[in-house]
Amino acid sequence: MNDKKVTLHTHQSVWHPCTQMKHHEAFPPILITRGEGVWLYGADGKRYLDTISSWWVNLFGHCNPRINAAIIDQLSKLEHAMLAGLIHEPVVELSERLSAITPGNLSHCFYASDGSSANEIALKMSFHYWQQCGFPDKTQFVNLQNGYHGETLGALSVTDVPLFRQIYAPLLRPAHPVPTPDWRVAETGTTPETHALKAAAELESYLAQHHASTAALILEPLIQGAGGMGMYHPVYLQRAREICDTYRVHLIADEIAVGFGRTGTLFACEQAGITPDFMCLAKGLSGGYLPLSVVMTNDAVYRAFYRDETNQAFLHSHSHSGNILACRAALATLDIIEQDNVIETNRKKTDFLNQCLQPVREHPNVKNFRNCGMIWAFEVDNPQPDFTHRFAQKGLEQQLLIRPMGNSVYIMPPYIINEEEMELMARGILHILNRI
Ligand SMILES: *Cc1c(COP(=O)(O)O)cnc(C)c1O
């Protein structure tokens, strides 16, 4: 290391994700030097409360001593070894523990490095399964309107957020989106449950017609994150499970954003009492520390690939599949979830923050205020074209790192947030709403 100063205005060697780089002329990126708990510390001497858990990955704060200790311990023994032909204890322990805590019979774990790759794997595995089981026409996928499953070409093919998708449409597979159960788009006077049932009926009529060509339905259980934190009634998941069973179609649950307690249960599927055929996990899996993702599936899928022929195996690989440091971070994360009774503790925090946010909920410009577990969201009635940037900028002035998606403001804080920090966050948001 040397003392060379990073000059951010001219520092264009870094091309940032999800960013129009020209906007950094007006809003330069914040130089972060340190993190502790919910706080990120800038080189400017200021601190920012990470209200969105650094893109939804962080569960137990930055530089969590227990996760740090696990990684440091592992680092002195082995940093990485390939997972083909080799195996290590942390990946075995992680797979067994994940199977034990996820719903139903998801007894096999296939690892990758990020969420998009996990979804790619689930799509490929589902297709390949049907190929090997005598259903060669099942080559299509059905997804939900406004759903998000990542940015790689396969994952983007089943993503229905125009901002990310539109320009790449010619590169993508044919899309088959069905109506979303998100209650924001329900007709006035319709309950979330009725709206969800109506959307499920449309899924059923789609599959009644197209089941022979459909391998899988992919969805985000309970909350459509990148689509603006749209929330829906769990009855949709119950019906989707039944409909998929009726029409012999796999159900892929993308719990990448909602897994590990975000929705108030350890996994969102639990709230509907269902088991998917594939469950994709990433983000919080490693406590947000290291890139790690997993696709979990059942024995029937696993057995379909268990053959003598090499080309009937699932020949998919990522260089860092099952990375041992990431597995240790994940095991430390699972330890914290168990030892700290996190689901119960979070329930109290949810109640407390709902109280703090009452004035926000009642604010005249706030619409569709909603909460599920440790996620809150609302739309702000504000026609300014640069609302998103202005809100984020005003957030920084209130010590809040907050990034609305269009006019949808959401918070998704690390679970270790305390009452004082929750009050500060709620006060800051109200302050911004009154001045934007
Ligand atoms: C973030 C996200 C992904 C993509 O995960 P990456 O690790 O960013 O590739 C996929 N699905 C959902 C629901 C997500 O929220």
Side-chain angles (χ1 to χ4, degrees), residues 307-359:
R307 310 255 172 107
D308 291 325
E309 299 80 1
T310 300
N311 65 359
Q312 293 191 0
F314 189 62
L315 297 181
H316 182 107
S317 58
H318 292 289
S319 309
H320 285 95
S321 188
N323 174 266
I324 195 165
L325 288 170
C327 287
R328 286 295 302 273
L331 288 169
T333 301
L334 292 185
D335 287 343
I336 297 175
I337 288 174
E338 282 171 21
Q339 291 162 9
D340 292 11
N341 201 7
V342 164
I343 298 297
E344 195 49 44
T345 313
N346 281 359
R347 205 162 288 154
K348 294 188 192 110
K349 293 191 183 189
T350 297
D351 289 345
F352 184 81
L353 188 49
N354 270 323
Q355 280 170 35
C356 299
L357 288 171
Q358 196 56 29

Side-chain angles (χ1 to χ4, degrees), residues 6 16 50 115 167 246 252 276-277 284 310 376 411:
V6 183
H16 293 267
D50 190 354
I167 181 70
T246 304
I252 303 173
D277 300 289
T310 300
W376 288 257
I411 47 177

Side-chain angles (χ1 to χ4, degrees), residues 47-59:
R47 62 175 194 168
Y48 304 99
L49 200 161
D50 190 354
T51 73
I52 57 169
S53 296
S54 281
W55 261 350
W56 325 349
V57 302
N58 192 292
L59 301 185

Side-chain angles (χ1 to χ4, degrees), residues 55-56 113-117 119 148-151 220 223 225-226 254-257 282-283:
W55 261 350
W56 325 349
S113 319
D114 54 61
S116 309
S117 306
N119 285 330
Y148 178 90
H149 300 288
E151 319 265 354
E220 296 157 272
I223 302 176
D254 175 353
E255 293 229 13
I256 288 164
K283 291 192 171 131

Side-chain angles (χ1 to χ4, degrees), residues 77-217:
K77 297 173 186 157
L78 174 67
E79 81 301 335
H80 180 68
M82 61 194 273
L83 202 62
L86 305 175
I87 194 162
H88 49 76
E89 277 176 8
V91 77
V92 177
E93 185 186 342
L94 180 60
S95 306
E96 289 176 353
R97 286 176 70 178
L98 287 174
S99 297
I101 61 172
T102 46
N105 53 350
L106 301 170
S107 48
H108 302 279
C109 293
F110 194 103
Y111 291 90
S113 319
D114 54 61
S116 309
S117 306
N119 285 330
E120 300 275 344
I121 288 164
L123 297 170
K124 282 177 70 180
M125 248 186 206
S126 170
F127 159 82
H128 195 161
Y129 170 91
W130 295 118
Q131 292 297 302
Q132 302 202 157
C133 294
F135 296 89
D137 296 335
K138 285 185 174 286
T139 60
Q140 304 296 309
F141 303 104
V142 55
N143 57 294
L144 301 193
Q145 278 172 0
N146 212 28
Y148 178 90
H149 300 288
E151 319 265 354
T152 53
L153 293 178
L156 195 57
S157 292
V158 290
T159 288
D160 187 50
V161 180
L163 180 65
F164 303 131
R165 179 188 168 92
Q166 224 155 28
I167 181 70
Y168 303 108
L171 302 181
L172 304 178
R173 293 180 43 77
H176 308 288
V178 290
T180 176
D182 176 355
W183 58 254
R184 288 179 301 170
V185 303
E187 284 166 31
T188 38
T190 313
T191 65
E193 184 171 8
T194 309
H195 178 69
L197 287 168
K198 213 172 127 208
E202 307 210 49
L203 170 67
E204 175 143 41
S205 59
Y206 178 84
L207 284 184
Q209 256 194 316
H210 299 286
H211 63 91
S213 60
T214 306
L217 162 68

Side-chain angles (χ1 to χ4, degrees), residues 296-311:
M296 302 182 64
T297 190
N298 56 47
D299 209 44
V301 171
Y302 181 76
R303 289 283 149 198
F305 293 83
Y306 205 79
R307 310 255 172 107
D308 291 325
E309 299 80 1
T310 300
N311 65 359

